[in-house]
């Protein structure tokens, strides 16, 4: 009160008009003397007090609005407490709400007056309105008086059992307040927290975890039973609750699961070739055999990561950051990359958010460069960035530097050196030095560039260049005598003390390489010794001592002169240094130290280590204040280390009889309404997955198909079941044969789901369901709107080209070819279109070849011997992938040649080049002896022929495999006319055109043979042309980037001229080679 009155009086003391507070003081504030020194306190807020004491609710409401407005503006309204607290019994709901807001603010300051109304607050806890009950509890917990802690405890216990989730949430907020007031009540509060943790409402979850973290974070046993529930509720919890839950789950995962990145568990035999230790190593290997089991992620660990992943799209930067730190600290290295794009998105926010995000990215890049390497350009510095943001971006760019991108980064750093921001320019030069020290191939280039900067007009740039050059020369001084000579000549021009000191240190350290220049530099320095800075004087003393040892004839007198000057210097460090060096170099009597003067002063110095400032920050948890400050703050708890062995996972099992009942019911329903349950499952899985736009599109299509399917099921379920039985027995490839192929894996998924917890469904099962829903799509279209067309499709397809075309299009989503492993070529679509447009056979007017079946080549992925009985082959289906149009669809055929059943077959660790992506196939629950199954996967090869490496895992072991796509399988057919083809081919000349000539057998000079050969090599589409034309043209685009690829083959007698046009020269060259190879075969 006193300080506030003085502040108000200060503004009126100079006869200025006091600002209006909006509280009815305007009548006497016009008087120059009406300030806090002269006015009487009881007159303040008189009009508000009168309005609050009145009987009219509208006046009370108006007064409370004005008071809350004053509180919001930071003005003191504590003297109104008695007048306000009387209205806590008001029957007007709006007035009562505002009174509670006011009391919450001032209850702690006016405890005595608040205690007088405590009975009113207790009555309000029984009010029918949930807002009043919550407000009363909030005010009660704001009264910081130890005497009423039992009353608060009773109120909290009642509120926890309240029907309203809002009141329960308020009770959770009151728990930490009571704990700070009365720590001895911890045991009772833990019981209350346990009840709140069992709450299934999303509104309460975040507040309950916050209370848990503040009161009893060590009671991890309270989380076990609620772990899966919290994971499933995570997406729907309010934003700040999500931050708290993810933070708690990070610590939980580090204590309850084993590390997903335990590479060293299998790697033994470091001293394998040392014969003396062979026996010991064998004993150790025998003892460690049980520990060598391949890592299998705990389903609960996977559940946490899967449920947290959608939060990377949150609008709240804190939520995104918390999920990023969860993945960084708890996820497998192969999955951490998903956080990169989300964090880059946050860089578009405010400067404060940018600083926090960049600080965390800087720490992440030190350990994992690959996460942010694709987003290198996002860290380019903008002229509008403040200096602290520029320095962080510079730090990240330097950490991301590799042999492949260093040329781009150096070109960017070169522009930063000319910045007007001196601090940023100096940091850029240091960054160049770091790049040069980390990447040996560019050290010479960086040194020459830094020497060039020494002729810069800006003195600070020159000085920083000298300092960095000095550090680099320490690493390889013998090779750069010329640079030392050049720097010695510049010592007169450079005036920055640190730079001059660095030059003198270099000359003294490597004086033997510049024997003629060093004494002259010492002579110049001796002249200006008195006017130099202290740091330069110390280096002059060092230089004189070193030269006196290596070249005493020329420099002994100079050395004595410098020592004499330093003897009387004002700085005691310089005086002490001169006395010490004099006794070491020029002793009156040679002692034991003087004999070793050269070893002491000219000993080989270790090269400096240029490392990131964020090198040691990984000891702190990302996203914490300690990480930002690089110092342990109050309340920070170190992130627990991973346990060597996982604790018992059964503690998270909750005994609920519901899953068993539902599983039996679902089994009974499955027979009559088989497909209806299947589609509902695909809908739920597609709704759960928010990873990509393609998934959401698939789910929309599934829902549309589902509505049609359900209506047909209701009209004719019996006929549909008969058709399924017929199609299962039939070997003829037809549309209705597709669903039975998916029925077996569908049952496996159903059984797996019924036996496990609902929360433990893996992402592979979701993908499986969405994949199966895609395969079911032909059913509604083949049936049409009535029943009978479904039967007609069994006889019609063989003679109807349109139905053949439909079969190919719908089969593309399946990817499993019918009819002996051959697929209908992409040219069919154009052929059918040509027939329908002209109305005459295509052969009569063009050289277009009729549609044909091209056999798909099968490749071996895993040999049965290497795979311990598991054999895998694969083939490229040449269909549009359901996962992404940029991905190449691949069909894997897995066969169990062993004697034992294989379980849990899935894709494990992936090792791919930047830009490549692998889409897993659904996990195969079990594969019996002699059984075989086919699954679909997809790979985005990024238009390269680099292999995609990954592991095929079973429950027992993992096998490393790789898939390399022939260049022809990286293409997708592209429709274009002859005129467009000629125009585009004209643009792709010069280096983008590859030509070749090859002799072909006489029997293969016909049109059908040529077209078949080309389409066998590459997934292309023939361009129609006239009948007399002997040039066969084909067009396609690359899968990933959509680059146009054109091929033309002209046949003359027994030779063929091949022209391949493509902007990607590697693809064009390799495609030409493959075409020549196949056409030449007899």
């Amino acid at each position: 009160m006193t300080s506030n009155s003085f502040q108000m009086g200060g503004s009126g003391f100079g006869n200025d008009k006091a600002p209006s507070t909006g509280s009815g003081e305007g009548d006497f504030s016009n008087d120059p003397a009406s300030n806090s020194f002269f006015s009487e306190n009881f007159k303040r807020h008189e009009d508000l007090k009168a309005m609050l004491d009145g009987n009219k609710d509208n006046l009370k409401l108006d007064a409370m609005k004005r008071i809350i407005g004053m509180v919001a503006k930071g003005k003191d309204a504590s003297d109104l407490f008695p007048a306000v607290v009387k209205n806590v019994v008001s029957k007007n709901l709006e007035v009562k709400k505002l009174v509670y807001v006011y009391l919450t603010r001032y209850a702690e300051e006016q405890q005595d007056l608040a205690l007088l109304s405590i009975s009113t607050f207790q009555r309000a806890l029984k009010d029918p309105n949930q807002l009043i009950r919550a407000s009363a509890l909030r005010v009660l917990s704001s009264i910081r008086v130890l005497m009423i802690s039992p009353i608060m405890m009773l109120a909290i216990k009642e509120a926890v059992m309240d029907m309203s989730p809002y009141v329960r949430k308020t009770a959770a907020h009151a728990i930490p307040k009571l704990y700070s007031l009365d720590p001895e009540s911890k045991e009772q509060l833990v019981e209350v927290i346990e009840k709140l943790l069992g709450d299934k409402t999303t509104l309460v979850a975040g507040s309950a975890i916050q209370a848990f973290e503040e009161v009893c974070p060590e009671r991890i046993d309270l989380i076990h039973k609620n772990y899966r529930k919290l994971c499933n509720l995570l997406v729907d919890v309010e934003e700040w609750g999500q931050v708290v839950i993810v933070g708690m789950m990070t610590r939980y995962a580090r204590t309850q699961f084993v590390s997903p990145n335990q590479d060293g568990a299998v790697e033994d035999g470091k001293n394998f070739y040392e014969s003396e230790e062979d026996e010991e190593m064998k004993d150790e290997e025998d003892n460690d055999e049980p520990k060598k089991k391949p890592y299998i992620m705990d389903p609960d660990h996977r559940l946490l990561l899967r449920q947290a992943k959608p939060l990377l799209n949150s609008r709240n930067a804190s939520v995104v950051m918390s999920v990023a730190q969860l993945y960084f600290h708890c996820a497998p290295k192969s999955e951490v990359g998903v956080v990169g794009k989300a964090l880059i998105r946050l860089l578009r926010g405010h400067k404060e958010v940018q600083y926090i995000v960049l600080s965390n990215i800087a720490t992440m890049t030190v350990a994992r460069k690959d996460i942010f390497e694709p987003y290198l350009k996002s860290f380019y510095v903008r002229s509008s960035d403040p200096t602290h943001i520029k320095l962080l971006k510079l730090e990240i760019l330097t950490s991301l530097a590799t042999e492949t991108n260093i040329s781009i980064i150096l070109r960017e750093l070169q522009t930063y050196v000319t910045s007007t921001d001196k601090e940023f320019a100096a940091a850029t030069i240091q960054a160049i030095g770091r790049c040069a020290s980390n990447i040996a191939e560019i050290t010479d280039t960086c040194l020459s560039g830094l020497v060039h900067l020494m002729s810069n007009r800006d003195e600070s740039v020159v000085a920083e260049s000298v300092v960095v050059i000095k550090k680099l020369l320490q690493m390889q001084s013998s090779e750069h005598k010329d640079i030392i000579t050049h720097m010695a000549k510049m010592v007169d021009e450079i005036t920055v003390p640190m730079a001059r000191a660095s030059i003198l240190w270099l000359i003294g350290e490597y004086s033997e390489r510049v024997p003629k220049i060093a004494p002259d530099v010492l002579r110049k320095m001796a002249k200006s010794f008195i006017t130099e800075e202290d740091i330069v004087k110390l280096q002059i003393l060092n230089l004189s001592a070193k030269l006196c040892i290596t070249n005493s004839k020329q420099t002994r007198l100079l050395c004595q002169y410098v020592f004499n000057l330093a003897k009387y210097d004002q700085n005691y460090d310089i005086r002490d240094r001169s006395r010490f060096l004099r006794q070491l170099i020029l002793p009156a009597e040679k002692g034991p130290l003087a004999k070793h003067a050269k070893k002491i002063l000219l000993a080989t110095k270790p090269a400096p280590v240029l490392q990131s400032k964020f090198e040691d920050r990984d000891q702190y948890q990302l996203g914490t204040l300690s990480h930002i400050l690089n110092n342990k703050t109050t309340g920070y708890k170190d992130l627990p280390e991973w346990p060597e062995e996982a604790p018992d996972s059964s503690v998270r099992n909750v005994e609920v009889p519901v899953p068993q009942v539902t599983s039996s019911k679902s089994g009974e329903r499955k027979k009559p309404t088989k497909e209806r349950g299947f589609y509902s499952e695909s809908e739920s899985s597609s709704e759960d997955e928010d990873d990509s736009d393609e998934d959401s599109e698939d789910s929309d299509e599934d829902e549309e198909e589902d509505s049609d399917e359900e209506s047909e099921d209701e009209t004719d379920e019996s006929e549909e079941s008969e058709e399924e039985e017929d199609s299962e027995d039939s070997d003829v490839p037809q549309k209705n044969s597709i669903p039975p192929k998916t029925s077996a894996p569908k049952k496996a998924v159903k059984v797996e789901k019924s036996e496990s917890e609902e929360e433990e469904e893996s992402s592979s099962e979701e993908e499986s369901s969405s994949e199966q829903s895609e395969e079911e799509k032909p059913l509604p279209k083949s049936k049409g709107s009535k029943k009978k067309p479904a039967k007609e499709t069994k006889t019609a397809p063989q003679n109807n080209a349109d139905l053949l075309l439909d079969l190919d299009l719908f089969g593309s989503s399946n990817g499993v070819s019918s009819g002996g492993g051959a697929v209908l070529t992409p040219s069919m679509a154009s052929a059918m279109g040509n027939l329908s447009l002209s109305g005459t056979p295509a052969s009569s007017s063009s050289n277009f070849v009729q549609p044909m079946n091209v056999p798909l080549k099968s490749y071996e992925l895993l040999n049965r011997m290497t795979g311990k009985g598991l054999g895998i082959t694969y083939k490229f289906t040449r269909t549009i992938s359901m996962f992404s149009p940029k991905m190449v669809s691949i069909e894997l055929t897995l066969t169990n040649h062993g004697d034992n059943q294989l379980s849990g077959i899935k894709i494990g660790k992936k090792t791919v080049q930047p830009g490549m992506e692998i889409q897993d196939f659904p996990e195969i629950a079990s594969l019996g002896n002699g059984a075989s199954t086919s699954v679909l996967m997809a790979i985005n090869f990024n238009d390269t022929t680099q292999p995609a490496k990954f592991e095929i895992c079973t429950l027992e072991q993992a096998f490393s495999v790789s898939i390399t796509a022939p260049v022809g399988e990286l293409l997708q057919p592209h429709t274009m006319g002859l005129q467009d083809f000629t125009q585009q081919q004209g643009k792709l000349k010069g280096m983008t055109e590859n030509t070749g000539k090859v002799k072909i057998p006489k029997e293969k000079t016909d049109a059908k043979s040529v077209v078949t050969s080309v389409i066998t090599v590459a997934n292309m589409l023939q361009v129609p042309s006239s009948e007399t034309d002997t040039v066969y043209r084909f067009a396609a685009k690359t899968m990933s980037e959509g680059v146009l690829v054109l091929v033309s083959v002209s046949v003359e007698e027994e030779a063929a001229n091949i022209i391949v046009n493509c902007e990607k020269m590697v693809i064009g060259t390799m495609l030409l080679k493959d075409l020549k190879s196949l056409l030449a075969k007899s």
Side-chain angles (χ1 to χ4, degrees), residues 890-953:
I890 302 171
E891 178 190 353
L892 301 184
T893 302
L894 298 90
T895 306
N896 184 3
H897 300 281
D899 298 327
N900 301 322
Q901 178 175 305
L902 299 174
S903 302
I905 305 174
K906 61 180 180 179
I907 290 181
K909 182 180 178 182
K910 306 170 189 173
T911 307
V912 295
Q913 300 292 328
M916 294 175 65
E917 186 181 1
I918 298 178
Q919 180 64 48
D920 300 2
F921 61 79
E923 181 177 346
I924 301 173
S926 63
L927 189 64
N929 178 22
S932 179
T933 185
S934 296
V935 291
L936 280 180
M937 66 176 296
I939 303 177
N940 180 0
F941 286 96
N942 199 23
D943 293 349
T944 66
T945 54
Q946 295 292 325
K949 300 178 181 178
F950 56 95
E951 289 182 349
I952 298 289
C953 299

Side-chain angles (χ1 to χ4, degrees), residues 31 137 215 315 383 450 509 650 765 792 825 922-923 1011:
D31 185 359
L137 181 59
V215 177
R315 62 182 179 181
S383 57
L450 292 171
E509 190 69 17
S650 62
E765 290 174 349
E792 294 173 3
T825 62
E923 181 177 346
V1011 173

Side-chain angles (χ1 to χ4, degrees), residues 952-966:
I952 298 289
C953 299
T954 64
L955 287 180
E956 292 76 23
Q957 51 194 335
F959 308 98
S960 297
V961 296
S962 65
I963 294 180
T964 304

Side-chain angles (χ1 to χ4, degrees), residues 160-225:
V160 167
M161 308 301 292
D162 197 284
M163 294 293 292
S164 168
Y166 180 70
V167 177
R168 300 199 297 271
K169 178 186 178 75
T170 308
H173 289 164
I175 289 173
K177 297 180 184 178
L178 179 55
Y179 177 69
S180 63
L181 182 66
D182 183 17
E184 295 180 359
S185 60
K186 180 176 179 178
E187 292 184 6
Q188 291 178 288
L189 290 175
V190 169
E191 295 177 4
V192 175
I193 290 173
E194 187 173 6
K195 290 181 182 178
L196 286 172
L197 288 174
D199 200 306
K200 297 182 180 180
T201 312
T202 56
L203 193 64
V204 182
S207 303
I209 294 297
Q210 180 63 40
F212 168 82
E213 286 283 87
E214 293 193 28
V215 177
C216 54
E218 73 284 352
R219 289 290 305 274
I220 204 74
D221 57 295
L222 299 179
I223 303 297
H224 291 323
K225 295 183 292 184

Side-chain angles (χ1 to χ4, degrees), residues 307-507:
Q307 294 299 105
K309 188 176 180 181
L311 300 185
L312 289 172
N313 299 319
S314 174
R315 62 182 179 181
N316 190 312
S318 185
V319 174
V320 177
M321 193 65 249
S322 64
V323 176
Q325 64 86 25
L326 169 68
Y327 266 78
F328 183 75
H329 291 302
C330 301
K333 289 182 178 179
S334 58
E335 300 180 20
V336 182
V338 299
V339 307
K341 190 174 182 180
L343 292 179
I344 294 299
R345 174 173 63 86
L346 297 184
L347 297 181
R348 302 171 187 164
H350 300 291
K351 297 292 185 290
E352 296 80 8
V353 174
Q354 286 185 40
Y355 177 77
I356 300 298
V357 173
L358 287 170
S359 298
N360 287 279
I361 290 176
T363 301
M364 297 171 77
T365 51
V366 172
R368 298 288 309 278
K369 292 184 181 182
D370 56 314
I371 300 177
F372 297 99
E373 201 171 346
Y375 310 105
L376 188 67
K377 292 184 179 179
S378 299
F379 303 110
Y380 286 175
V381 175
R382 300 179 180 179
S383 57
S384 59
D385 289 336
T387 303
H388 62 281
I389 298 294
K390 291 180 180 177
L391 295 178
L392 280 173
K393 286 186 175 180
L394 192 62
E395 189 75 33
I396 295 169
L397 282 175
T398 312
S399 298
L400 291 176
T402 59
E403 291 86 348
T404 55
N405 61 20
I406 187 62
S407 57
I408 301 172
I409 292 177
L410 282 181
R411 196 180 307 123
E412 188 72 13
L413 296 181
Q414 192 175 351
T415 61
Y416 298 163
V417 173
T418 60
S419 172
T420 55
D421 188 340
K422 304 300 181 188
E423 184 183 358
F424 176 55
T428 302
I429 297 171
Q430 292 176 8
I432 294 173
R434 264 184 63 197
C435 293
S437 65
N438 295 335
I439 304 172
E441 291 82 0
I442 58 141
T443 303
D444 293 338
T445 307
C446 291
L447 268 175
S448 61
L450 292 171
V451 171
H452 179 70
L453 286 177
M454 289 173 62
S455 58
N456 196 294
R457 295 180 182 178
D458 192 340
E459 199 170 288
S460 61
V461 172
V462 175
E464 201 64 42
S465 302
V466 169
V467 175
V468 174
I469 289 173
K470 172 221 166 189
K471 293 178 180 178
L472 293 177
L473 288 181
Q474 281 184 260
M475 300 176 185
Q476 43 182 357
S477 57
S478 58
E479 304 172 7
H480 300 288
K481 175 184 174 183
D482 296 338
I483 296 178
I484 299 174
T485 305
H486 180 67
M487 293 174 71
K489 293 177 181 178
M490 294 187 63
V491 75
D492 293 333
E493 303 171 10
I494 297 175
T495 59
V496 177
M498 189 64 190
R500 290 173 68 84
S502 298
I503 293 175
L504 294 176
W505 185 90
L506 275 175
I507 295 171

Side-chain angles (χ1 to χ4, degrees), residues 648 795 1025 1034:
D648 184 16
T795 56
S1025 58
F1034 307 85

